[in-house]
Amino acid sequence: MVLATNSDSDEHLHSTFASRYVRAVVPRFKMPDHCMPKDAAYQVINDELMLDGNPRLNLASFVTTWMEPECDKLIMDSVNKNYVDMDEYPVTTELQNRCVNMIANLFHAPVGEGEAAIGCGTVGSSEAIMLAGLAFKRKWQHRRRAQGLSTDKPNIVTGANVQVCWEKFARYFEVELKEVKLSEDYYVMDPAKAVEMVDENTICVAAILGSTLTGEFEDVKLLNDLLAEKNAETGWETPIHVDAASGGFIAPFLYPDLEWDFRLPWVKSINVSGHKYGLVYAGVGWIVWRTKDDLPEELVFHINYLGADQPTFTLNFSKGSSQIIAQYYQFIRLGFEGYKNIMENCMDNARRLREGIEMTGKFHILSKDIGVPLVAFSLKDSSKHTVFEIAESLRKFGWIIPAYTMPADAQHIAVLRVVIREDFSRGLADRLITHIIQVLKEIEGLPSRIAHLAAAAAVSGDDEVKVKTAKMSLEDITKYWKRLVEHKRNIVC
């Protein structure tokens, strides 16, 4: 008879929470010297993850947080496939090509019957935008060199409301970013002002179909018409890229007559996020070009050491196949009808939430009726309390709702924004309205934190907060409170 040792007892008889592994300090900087049982490793990590927010209640994010179990199974079945091994996984490659063709057709690309579209899957719209920007820069350089002109100072024209990935592109690839400033009550790029900023060094104008700030669609049709006039006058051939990360899977289903895509001749490329309203978990975006001529051949690499000649035009190499497969599942599972129904439902719930917020009488609604299904709103009176207090107070109910200030020249406006996704139901909308009303009542019964912050900042010695008197301007208050909230969140993280 073999007797169990103490270590055997620890490993096999004691529960996970009675073991030494949950008493040890969790490794943070150095890989541990010894292994641990798989159930203990799972429990240690799972326990920490409980402190994360609930993705379903994260109304800051546009990214999909729910998919059908059948698609979850497809994702797990293909999680070990490296997408770049196209010769080894030819069906996965074919599914990507089908997705590109479907998206190009949805965006009215001039592709003939049975003809393959030009585009690819990416890890998100950020990579897609980098690829589009590189194509525009290279095309511009070719034209300039053919004319014997300098290629030293390329620029791109956008609105100040663009997502940070455009700033990254400009910085990483040495392109000047020329931003059209915003103004109060007009939080998207003004096409006329954008065209005024275009010069001979402009590689493209970027229009946003679904502003991150308010969900509003920019007027791509007007931009195209004005740019066509300027191109005819100057001969510059300045093109348009449409950043449809949020709106690309909304406009075709809800606003089919809206001209924003390849129906407009100066639109040369479009990106869209599959992991937003494409209804796939995080990790997939798409970029589609109008024609083959709009993607310079020199940006396409051909590799053969994996078994066959494989053209690739992405910034990365290895990546998972799961999200590509999941996107194809959604396309054939839902079809046009299914996507249309889901987007209509999202808009209905957005309208319900907007009505409930308006009924409080405390907020201005900044988002528009036509655009991405979200509600952006600001306080009518910020003299005593701020939207940052409201966002912080709603966290106790589990809601994650962002509060932020607008870009230049509307940075004095502070906003709350609720993004409506597929899994946000009418019941959740009603519950959120109830909680917002409850928070309003609670903070109205509290002393003004603004006066307290002003006094505290005045004696704190904080050089970053420029407080000349106990009476702070609204902009100073907003900046201070935003920094305070962000600091607390960083500590939690």
Side-chain angles (χ1 to χ4, degrees):
M1 178 177 179
V2 179
L3 298 176
T5 64
N6 287 337
S7 61
D8 289 335
S9 178
D10 284 344
E11 294 289 336
H12 301 294
L13 300 180
H14 288 178
S15 72
T16 298
F17 290 111
S19 72
R20 60 189 170 88
Y21 302 106
V22 296
R23 296 196 297 269
V25 176
V26 176
R28 295 183 61 198
F29 302 106
K30 181 184 175 184
M31 184 182 294
D33 294 329
H34 305 289
C35 60
M36 69 169 65
K38 59 186 178 183
D39 56 343
Y42 170 84
Q43 196 67 55
V44 167
I45 296 172
N46 185 68
D47 287 355
E48 287 207 80
L49 289 174
M50 289 192 303
L51 298 175
D52 270 348
N54 184 339
R56 293 281 303 278
L57 299 182
N58 178 10
L59 305 184
S61 177
F62 293 83
V63 175
T64 296
T65 53
W66 180 87
M67 296 187 75
E68 292 176 325
E70 291 79 6
C71 194
D72 288 344
K73 186 177 186 306
L74 277 175
I75 289 172
M76 294 310 300
D77 289 346
S78 58
V79 74
N80 59 350
K81 288 185 180 180
N82 186 358
Y83 168 75
V84 78
D85 293 344
M86 297 178 183
D87 194 51
E88 287 77 1
Y89 308 122
V91 175
T92 299
T93 302
E94 169 63 18
L95 296 188
Q96 184 222 221
N97 295 339
R98 293 178 190 177
C99 288
V100 170
N101 291 334
M102 291 179 184
I103 293 169
N105 178 269
L106 199 63
F107 295 167
H108 299 95
V111 179
E113 187 71 24
E115 183 181 348
I118 306 300
C120 64
T122 62
V123 293
S125 277
S126 291
E127 183 190 4
I129 284 168
M130 302 290 170
L131 293 171
L134 283 171
F136 283 123
K137 183 178 179 181
R138 196 57 57 89
K139 291 277 289 184
W140 172 82
Q141 287 173 332
H142 289 334
R143 287 196 304 271
R144 299 283 291 177
R145 286 168 182 156
Q147 298 168 351
L149 300 173
S150 171
T151 60
D152 292 340
K153 297 180 179 180
N155 69 66
I156 188 169
V157 176
T158 71
N161 57 313
V162 292
Q163 214 264 357
V164 69
C165 59
W166 285 99
E167 298 177 40
K168 289 182 179 180
F169 166 76
R171 188 176 301 177
Y172 295 166
F173 297 103
E174 298 180 322
V175 176
E176 179 190 1
L177 187 66
K178 298 171 71 173
E179 293 185 339
V180 178
K181 303 303 182 186
L182 309 184
S183 60
E184 189 167 349
D185 296 327
Y186 197 90
Y187 304 111
V188 293
M189 179 179 70
D190 184 329
K193 292 180 180 178
V195 173
E196 287 177 5
M197 297 176 72
V198 169
D199 59 29
E200 62 182 355
N201 294 316
T202 302
I203 64 174
C204 80
V205 180
I208 312 298
L209 194 78
S211 170
T212 300
L213 303 176
T214 63
E216 187 175 354
F217 292 167
E218 292 182 344
D219 194 339
V220 187
K221 175 71 164 60
L222 177 58
L223 176 65
N224 177 87
D225 294 345
L226 294 174
L227 201 54
E229 293 178 7
K230 188 158 191 172
N231 285 337
E233 294 172 0
T234 62
W236 288 340
E237 299 185 9
T238 305
I240 296 171
H241 175 84
V242 179
D243 180 355
S246 298
F249 283 121
I250 294 171
F253 306 107
L254 296 185
Y255 316 108
D257 296 329
L258 181 68
E259 295 185 46
W260 63 273
D261 53 16
F262 292 122
R263 285 170 289 184
L264 304 174
W266 287 105
V267 173
K268 302 299 183 182
S269 56
I270 301 172
N271 70 277
V272 64
S273 290
H275 59 220
K276 292 182 179 176
Y277 290 97
L279 307 180
V280 178
Y281 292 137
V284 62
W286 301 94
I287 174 69
V288 179
W289 281 271
R290 184 185 193 87
T291 67
K292 186 176 181 180
D293 292 339
D294 295 307
L295 175 63
E297 175 62 28
E298 66 214 69
L299 295 180
V300 180
F301 287 81
H302 296 267
I303 58 174
N304 60 18
Y305 60 80
L306 293 175
D309 179 66
Q310 300 163 18
T312 174
F313 42 111
T314 59
L315 292 180
N316 66 319
F317 195 65
S318 294
K319 67 177 180 181
S321 298
S322 297
Q323 273 72 13
I324 299 288
I325 294 168
Q327 185 74 83
Y328 186 66
Y329 170 90
Q330 293 289 52
F331 283 171
I332 66 170
R333 162 75 176 93
L334 297 172
F336 192 95
E337 177 189 30
Y339 270 92
K340 186 174 187 291
N341 290 339
I342 289 171
M343 300 313 155
E344 287 176 342
N345 187 60
C346 289
M347 291 303 295
D348 287 344
N349 288 327
R351 279 190 286 269
R352 168 58 188 147
L353 182 61
R354 173 178 178 149
E355 291 168 0
I357 291 171
E358 285 180 318
M359 286 176 63
T360 68
K362 300 294 185 180
F363 298 102
H364 290 295
I365 303 296
L366 279 66
S367 47
K368 306 298 182 182
D369 292 334
I370 296 178
V372 176
L374 63 78
V375 184
F377 51 107
S378 63
L379 276 169
K380 291 180 178 179
D381 181 5
S382 298
S383 61
K384 294 182 179 179
H385 301 281
T386 70
V387 293
F388 300 99
E389 290 179 73
I390 295 173
E392 186 182 44
S393 296
L394 286 170
R395 286 297 292 262
K396 70 183 179 183
F397 299 108
W399 302 108
I400 303 172
I401 297 176
Y404 53 89
T405 54
M406 289 292 192
D409 286 329
Q411 58 266 45
H412 59 288
I413 305 295
V415 177
L416 291 160
R417 186 198 67 202
V418 177
V419 176
I420 308 301
R421 298 189 302 271
E422 175 189 12
D423 55 350
F424 185 83
S425 65
R426 169 65 182 265
L428 287 176
D430 290 340
R431 179 67 66 178
L432 177 55
I433 292 167
T434 300
H435 288 160
I436 289 173
I437 293 172
Q438 185 174 336
V439 165
L440 288 172
K441 290 179 179 178
E442 290 174 355
I443 66 173
E444 285 172 0
L446 297 173
S448 171
R449 286 196 186 183
I450 289 176
H452 173 73
L453 289 173
V459 299
S460 68
D462 185 353
D463 294 334
E464 294 183 5
V465 182
K466 300 179 179 178
V467 183
K468 296 181 180 179
T469 65
K471 184 177 181 181
M472 301 171 70
S473 70
L474 178 60
E475 185 174 347
D476 288 330
I477 294 164
T478 299
K479 287 179 180 178
Y480 181 86
W481 184 253
K482 182 180 180 183
R483 186 157 58 249
L484 184 65
V485 171
E486 288 176 345
H487 176 63
K488 286 182 178 179
R489 288 178 180 168
N490 287 337
I491 292 175
V492 171
C493 294

